[in-house]
Amino acid sequence: MELLEKLNWRYAAKAMNGEKVSEDKIERILEAARLAPTSSGLQPFEIFVVKNQEVKEQIKPVAWNQSVITDCSHLLVFAAWDHYTPERINYMFDLTNEIRGFKNEGWENYRQMLLGMYPTKDPEENFIHASKQAYIAFTEALTAAAFEAVDATPLEGFEPDAVDEILGLREKGLRSAVLLPLGYRKTNEDWLVNLQKVRKPMEDLVTVIE
Ligand SMILES: Cc1cc2nc3c(=O)[nH]c(=O)nc-3n(C[C@H](O)[C@H](O)[C@H](O)COP(=O)(O)O)c2cc1C
């Protein structure tokens, strides 16, 4: 299947059948998220993979009682940094130096620029920026899931504070941004599965400036 065919196959599953997704597929989906580009390469988020059914049961009522939360195989929780601290920024710059095996003056100057910029900002503003980066990885995971013929529901309908509490995210300096249940569609109970995809026409989306 070509990429566009897979993206047409993908839809926001409303009902899942509880079937387990194999761990090798999950690993490839997570690897796609890990490979996502992020602003300054900071990867300012973490991904929690909820396999535990009791934890899913706790999350369901604070996620509009959406059945996919408990009927999915793996529930991915994308949690963004609550703030950009010097430690977090330095960690990624040091990791770059370690992996590449050299220090570069331009890169070190860039580090100092970010250290002078992000930590002084309002944490809320930094969280919003970090969340945007988490969404990039979330989209990569969504596409990778389609590539693996795994169904997914992009899911923003939840109470972030409650999910943070259930998973203990605030203590880790994280806040939940978006959820991604992964599993397999339950076709006989899903009102959306056979409906046509609705997208605005290309001309309402794209403006070409010659
Ligand atoms: C960030 C985001 C959050 C969403 N939240 C929910 C949600 O909480 N529950 C739900 O059933 N669908 C949710 N959706 C699914 C969208 O309604 C759906 O993607 C859109 O209508 C397009 O349909 P399609 O994904 O089936 O092509 C969300 C989608 C995105 C991208």
Side-chain angles (χ1 to χ4, degrees):
M1 249 202 288
E2 294 293 325
L3 177 64
L4 290 182
E5 273 181 81
K6 291 175 195 280
L7 294 181
N8 271 302
W9 172 85
R10 189 210 66 73
Y11 78 115
K14 303 295 177 205
M16 290 188 183
N17 63 12
E19 194 186 324
K20 293 290 166 218
V21 177
S22 67
E23 290 300 328
D24 60 316
K25 280 179 186 272
I26 296 292
E27 271 172 34
R28 287 194 292 272
I29 292 166
L30 291 171
E31 178 65 353
R34 194 175 76 98
L35 288 172
T38 54
S39 179
S40 303
L42 291 177
Q43 292 180 276
F45 53 83
E46 294 182 26
I47 304 167
F48 290 77
V49 183
V50 182
K51 295 162 77 172
N52 184 293
Q53 199 60 21
E54 280 169 26
V55 176
K56 289 189 219 162
E57 298 284 354
Q58 281 178 272
I59 294 175
K60 187 180 175 185
V62 296
W64 303 0
N65 273 316
Q66 298 187 66
S67 66
V68 287
I69 297 285
T70 44
D71 294 341
C72 72
S73 167
H74 294 65
L75 173 64
L76 306 192
V77 178
F78 290 77
W81 289 355
D82 61 353
H83 195 18
Y84 284 73
T85 61
E87 294 72 30
R88 284 169 157 172
I89 294 168
N90 279 325
Y91 167 77
M92 284 311 290
F93 275 80
D94 291 345
L95 184 66
T96 302
N97 291 345
E98 188 190 315
I99 289 178
R100 295 195 172 145
F102 66 89
K103 267 194 175 184
N104 169 284
E105 197 191 331
W107 186 238
E108 290 304 320
N109 290 341
Y110 189 58
R111 178 205 299 250
Q112 293 309 323
M113 194 190 91
L114 295 192
L115 286 171
M117 183 178 81
Y118 281 128
T120 61
K121 286 191 184 194
D122 174 22
E124 191 63 28
E125 191 184 336
N126 277 337
F127 166 67
I128 291 167
H129 185 268
S131 294
K132 289 180 186 172
Q133 314 313 309
Y135 271 80
I136 300 169
F138 157 85
T139 309
E140 298 278 26
L142 189 60
T143 304
F147 193 82
E148 297 286 343
V150 169
D151 283 300
T153 316
L155 199 147
E156 245 177 5
F158 69 99
E159 297 164 35
D161 290 345
V163 170
D164 294 355
E165 177 75 29
I166 293 165
L167 298 178
L169 297 181
R170 296 293 178 117
E171 300 90 285
K172 296 184 172 83
L174 299 166
R175 294 170 61 182
S176 53
V178 65
L179 310 186
L180 190 65
L182 297 170
Y184 293 104
R185 61 187 71 178
K186 191 174 192 181
T187 38
N188 58 335
E189 280 184 26
D190 193 334
W191 57 267
L192 187 58
V193 69
N194 291 320
L195 296 185
Q196 237 189 305
K197 223 178 233 315
V198 179
R199 292 295 189 270
K200 60 186 181 182
M202 199 63 97
E203 57 271 27
D204 291 347
L205 180 71
V206 177
T207 301
V208 179
I209 301 167
E210 302 274 14

